[in-house]
Amino acid sequence: MFSLTGKQAVITGGGSGIGRAIARLFARQGAAVHIIELSAEAGQAAADEIGRDGGRAWVHAADVSQQAQVAAVFQAIGAVDILVNNAGIAHVGSVENTAEADFDRVYQVNVKGAYNCLHAAVPGMKQRGAGVILNLASIAAHVGITDRFAYSMSKGALFAMTLSVARDYLPHGIRCNSISPARVHTPFVDGFLAKNYAGQEQAIFEKLSKSQPIGRMGTPDEVAALALYLCSDEAGFVTGCDYPIDGGFTTLNN
Ligand code: NAD
């Protein structure tokens, strides 16, 4: 079960955290993995790790927010069976203290980056009558999280794009779903703590852990396992859905 042998998978932001875990697991399951990364160094480290594990991975240094760069990468890759829109950035702030430049940057990476990859990948999938797309949304797309104005906007957009693409390409054999994690312990979280809560990282880490009723953060490998299911042939009946993976955050926080 869950074999990806013979499949070509693109994972954006595959050099770190959740994307890296997805890249590693997909390669282990037999996929040829293409990592699109802003940080060529992080992408290469992930690809080297996959290589040591006996898998196949290629790194494409690119900024997903730049359409020309994304188009060139997809042109070089050729046929894509699986696209995982994972690259994303965080931002902390309410509408009042979100600067225009910050709002634009979150939109450019999280929303436009996914659109750029969809725009590049979907025509080929449509032509072949097959394809799977997975978007990394967030619980912030579904519940109000304090001080996440721009981030929530971007993740709500990913959820809506999931539904739109799933609907439009249902007749073409393309499935599209999204995953909405609560807090997952990745460099994304560590960076966010260092930037926004310098000096009180440990206390805030514990607070963030406890905000999941299960009492801890998720792990990148736990998210990767769900991603594998959704991108495998075993999930052939699943499209247009969002999957929370949140330690009870959205349903048990009362
Ligand atoms: P991370 O910061 O550990 O990794 C993100 C990767 O994306 C990095 O390697 C970074 O270089 C790359 N990246 C950033 N901007 C890019 C760009 N413009 N072009 C190409 N690559 C770019 O993040 P993570 O925690 O693994 O999160 C991955 C995804 O999951 C994000 O979309 C995030 O919003 C989402 N998510 C994370 C959490 C969490 O708690 N970690 C929770 C919910 C959703």
Side-chain angles (χ1 to χ4, degrees), residues 9-10 14 42 56 77 79 101 121 139 150 161 193 234 249 253:
V10 172
R56 291 173 303 149
I77 293 171
I139 52 162
M161 284 194 283
L193 289 177
E234 279 74 11
F249 190 98
N253 247 335

Side-chain angles (χ1 to χ4, degrees), residues 14-230:
S16 174
I18 294 169
R20 185 166 177 157
I22 293 174
R24 200 170 49 219
L25 182 59
F26 282 22
R28 201 172 290 160
Q29 295 305 111
V33 168
H34 293 265
I35 294 170
I36 302 182
E37 248 302 334
L38 189 60
S39 163
E41 204 182 324
Q44 195 53 55
D48 289 348
E49 183 184 42
I50 289 170
R52 285 194 297 277
D53 210 22
R56 291 173 303 149
W58 292 263
V59 187
H60 307 268
D63 181 342
V64 292
S65 72
Q66 302 300 312
Q67 189 165 81
Q69 288 183 29
V70 170
V73 168
F74 277 85
Q75 179 93 37
I77 293 171
V80 173
D81 302 293
I82 299 168
L83 166 64
V84 182
N85 280 315
N86 164 80
I89 56 172
H91 181 262
V92 176
S94 66
V95 65
E96 287 170 279
N97 49 30
T98 298
E100 186 182 14
D102 291 337
F103 185 87
D104 285 346
R105 183 68 194 146
V106 170
Y107 167 79
Q108 289 285 331
V109 177
N110 296 8
V111 182
K112 194 169 173 210
Y115 149 73
N116 283 337
C117 294
L118 290 164
H119 191 68
V122 164
M125 290 178 170
K126 185 176 167 185
Q127 210 170 30
R128 290 188 305 283
V132 187
I133 295 158
L134 183 64
N135 297 321
L136 262 292
S138 163
I139 52 162
H142 311 287
V143 296
I145 311 276
T146 307
D147 277 339
R148 296 292 184 283
F149 175 71
Y151 185 73
S152 301
M153 168 279 297
S154 72
K155 294 304 178 178
L158 274 163
F159 175 49
M161 284 194 283
T162 300
L163 298 178
S164 168
V165 170
R167 164 63 70 194
D168 284 345
Y169 297 96
L170 193 65
H172 301 284
I174 300 172
R175 296 190 296 109
C176 183
N177 296 292
S178 59
I179 291 181
S180 286
R183 193 71 58 188
V184 178
H185 189 201
T186 67
F188 185 90
V189 172
D190 294 332
F192 152 87
L193 289 177
K195 186 171 167 214
N196 298 288
Y197 300 99
Q200 28 169 347
E201 286 99 329
Q202 191 55 37
I204 303 289
F205 183 90
E206 268 157 38
K207 190 174 157 213
L208 291 178
S209 296
K210 292 204 179 94
S211 68
Q212 282 72 229
I214 214 163
R216 65 172 176 88
M217 297 188 192
T219 68
D221 286 339
E222 288 170 333
V223 180
L226 178 56
L228 172 61
Y229 167 66
L230 290 171

